[in-house]
Amino acid sequence: MQNKSPQRDEIVSLITQEEDRQIKMIGLIPSENAVSPEVSEVLSSCLSNKYAEGYPGKRYYEGNQIIDKVENLARDRVKELFSVPYVNVQPYSGSPANLAIYFALMQPGDTLLGLKLANGGHLTHGHPKVTGSGTFYNSVQYGVLADARIDFDEVRELAHKHKPKVIVAGNTAYPFELDFKKFRAIADEVDAWLVADISHVTGLVIGGEHMSPVPFAHVVMSTTHKTFRGPRGAMIMVTDEGMARDPKLGKKIDAAIIPGLQGGPHNATTAGIAIAAAQAMRPEFTQYAKRVTANATALAEGMLARGVQLVGGGTETHLMVIDLTRLGAGLGTQVAYALDVAGIYANKNTVPNEPGSPFYPSGIRIGTPLVTTRGMNTAEMKQIAEWIARVIEHTTTEQLPKDLKARRAFLKDFKKRAKTDKVLRSIREEVEAMATTFPLFKW
Ligand SMILES: *Cc1c(COP(=O)(O)O)cnc(C)c1O
């Protein structure tokens, strides 16, 4: 990052520091990735100067001759990529995109059936009490079985009992492939709309590494910044199935975005989506998707071989959840912190039948999109697995106290000690030596 102003701005300096951190560390948060220089370039372009409320050919502001072309390109490329008849690329991000879909398909108080947050669902899938989706709608939630796979008997039972208007099939911390065909069969039994939220696995779907929801779901939503490797944003696709059920569905989704929930679209983001979509059509992208899953498998195998337990015993996708329950309840917080000190960042996560709590969970969620984008392969995954195993062994000898006050005091002290811990510091040196040999983005 260049600082062109004579006076070194504090923000520019912070961006340089963040760039340095991203290069030196190993990022294993499965929802994160790095964009190509081409996507990055258009994000800082003059396109963001322009207001373009409305849609191509039907704007509320003048001067959108070029912006219309940009948005049409983005829509056409996404349509081609997924073979869908209708696309909206304007959602500001995944969460408002899901709300827009619900807004288009339901009335307040109608029933929404989604996967529990604690079992790998997303907040916007009807998480009760604290979310919009869980308060504007009557939210009913399904979970997973002891083997961590979706309990389709429960999905069917709840669907028949509560007659949801919308069933959401999607996840953020579920290591297995989602069977959209089974979801659709249940949706048909109760005349519900099937919404597939593939935010996490879009890149895998494009690369043929994950079942496509397009033949089964009526509406498909995806963020654009995860495995898709585009800018922060989202896209909503209406499939042939959706258009067959309601030919006006595309227009309804458009209206739910604006005037329903949003104002002007972020045109620079739209341009970034157009570029990312074109890049996703390249054979190299398919290779990347294959490497993402191969790397996840290698990482899982490497950890399992060192006695690290995984939720469901492994992964079929880009992500896995380390299960620390055998070592003690609620150890996710301290292990995630220790990993960060050791140069590897991930996030704490609940495990099915969590014995800890959402804030002190017993799992760590990790994934391979970013390390794969950086050019790392299975050899590096084996090495990362070893580092993770060493950190876990080193930091789980101390149990998290049950008493809340003692717990806070323990974690405060644990963090203080971790920062200067010799073992963690030496792992960090090894991590940095390896990570700095890889760029942030590589084809
Ligand atoms: C990330 C994600 C979202 C929300 O996206 P934001 O851009 O963070 O609002 C929604 N659904 C799923 C399944 C996700 O993984």
Side-chain angles (χ1 to χ4, degrees):
M1 179 111 201
Q2 296 275 314
N3 185 359
K4 288 175 187 145
S5 70
Q7 214 173 359
R8 189 157 183 82
D9 187 87
E10 211 178 330
I11 286 294
V12 175
S13 155
L14 289 173
I15 293 171
T16 309
Q17 287 172 44
E18 170 63 8
E19 200 176 16
D20 191 52
R21 188 197 66 81
Q22 290 186 16
I23 291 279
K24 281 185 177 157
M25 292 183 80
I26 289 174
L28 293 178
I29 294 174
S31 49
E32 293 183 2
N33 213 329
V35 294
S36 65
E38 292 81 7
V39 169
S40 191
E41 186 182 7
V42 298
L43 285 179
S44 57
S45 69
C46 66
L47 296 183
S48 63
N49 295 346
K50 190 73 196 88
Y51 245 106
E53 281 186 10
Y55 290 97
K58 236 182 124 186
R59 305 283 189 187
Y60 292 86
Y61 296 86
E62 298 312 315
N64 279 305
Q65 298 84 349
I66 315 282
I67 299 294
D68 277 6
K69 290 184 182 170
V70 170
E71 188 167 343
N72 276 330
L73 263 177
R75 295 202 292 197
D76 289 345
R77 286 179 187 175
V78 175
K79 275 190 219 167
E80 187 189 336
L81 191 57
F82 288 91
S83 306
V84 289
Y86 210 96
V87 171
N88 187 308
V89 291
Q90 292 195 10
Y92 296 148
S93 218
S95 302
N98 276 341
L99 262 191
I101 295 168
Y102 305 152
F103 193 54
L105 296 176
M106 288 191 283
Q107 294 298 317
D110 281 349
T111 299
L112 167 70
L113 179 59
L115 177 62
K116 284 178 198 152
L117 183 67
N119 284 188
H122 191 263
L123 284 166
T124 55
H125 296 177
H127 186 60
K129 294 197 181 98
V130 293
T131 67
S133 65
T135 46
F136 304 153
Y137 305 103
N138 171 39
S139 165
V140 178
Q141 302 226 285
Y142 56 91
V144 295
L145 291 161
D147 64 0
R149 295 192 183 248
I150 303 261
D151 184 351
F152 278 100
D153 290 337
E154 188 189 18
V155 178
R156 174 169 283 113
E157 221 174 276
L158 292 173
H160 281 267
K161 186 167 167 208
H162 298 280
K163 301 277 183 295
K165 263 265 174 67
V166 169
I167 297 177
V168 191
N171 49 56
T172 68
Y174 184 72
F176 305 117
E177 186 171 39
L178 265 194
D179 192 338
F180 299 113
K181 194 173 176 187
K182 280 191 187 161
F183 275 108
R184 174 60 190 275
I186 296 171
D188 282 351
E189 287 170 25
V190 296
D191 209 24
W193 294 100
L194 178 61
V195 174
D197 177 352
I198 59 168
S199 294
H200 260 262
V201 294
T202 327
L204 305 187
V205 168
I206 293 166
E209 291 291 295
H210 189 293
M211 176 183 204
S212 171
V214 171
F216 308 107
H218 300 103
V219 181
V220 178
M221 195 290 281
S222 176
T223 51
T224 46
H225 47 277
K226 296 177 186 172
T227 50
F228 185 62
R229 233 162 46 174
R232 295 200 91 82
M235 48 197 178
I236 301 173
M237 297 165 252
V238 179
T239 63
D240 284 321
E241 293 295 299
M243 294 301 261
R245 181 162 163 180
D246 179 357
K248 293 206 179 83
L249 189 53
K251 293 279 174 223
K252 285 181 183 169
I253 295 283
D254 283 354
I257 291 287
I258 177 170
L261 289 165
Q262 296 189 173
H266 296 178
N267 310 310
T269 299
T270 306
I273 292 172
I275 290 183
Q279 290 177 334
M281 292 175 198
R282 291 165 57 170
E284 293 96 319
F285 190 90
T286 303
Q287 287 311 312
Y288 144 79
K290 289 194 187 322
R291 286 176 45 239
V292 167
T293 49
N295 278 345
T297 304
L299 190 55
E301 283 170 357
M303 288 194 294
L304 289 169
R306 282 171 175 78
V308 176
Q309 303 240 300
L310 299 177
V311 167
T315 177
E316 295 169 354
T317 61
H318 63 302
L319 74 81
M320 65 215 76
V321 180
I322 296 173
D323 185 350
L324 301 165
T325 45
R326 269 226 317 222
L327 302 167
L331 294 178
T333 309
Q334 73 201 55
V335 173
Y337 187 83
L339 280 170
D340 191 74
V341 173
I344 297 170
Y345 59 102
N347 64 277
K348 60 184 176 186
N349 212 93
T350 49
V351 297
N353 302 315
E354 175 59 61
S357 67
F359 201 72
Y360 300 105
S362 308
I364 310 268
R365 184 182 71 148
I366 59 178
T368 52
L370 175 57
V371 287
T372 305
T373 291
R374 294 188 65 179
M376 295 181 198
N377 284 310
T378 52
E380 284 76 30
M381 297 307 117
K382 296 283 176 205
Q383 178 60 69
I384 294 170
E386 198 223 301
W387 286 324
I388 293 173
R390 267 160 66 192
V391 171
I392 292 174
E393 274 164 35
H394 185 61
T395 53
T396 52
T397 47
E398 296 175 277
Q399 290 294 319
L400 187 69
K402 283 210 170 61
D403 172 67
L404 256 185
K405 231 174 126 186
R407 179 174 287 187
R408 282 197 206 107
F410 166 78
L411 281 172
K412 203 174 157 194
D413 179 60
F414 177 90
K415 288 183 179 179
K416 210 171 116 195
R417 283 183 287 127
K419 272 185 204 151
T420 52
D421 184 273
K422 283 206 179 74
V423 174
L424 298 179
R425 301 301 304 183
S426 86
I427 295 174
R428 190 184 182 102
E429 278 174 25
E430 291 176 45
V431 167
E432 284 189 7
M434 189 265 261
T436 46
T437 63
F438 292 90
L440 260 189
F441 185 98
K442 189 180 168 197
W443 273 111

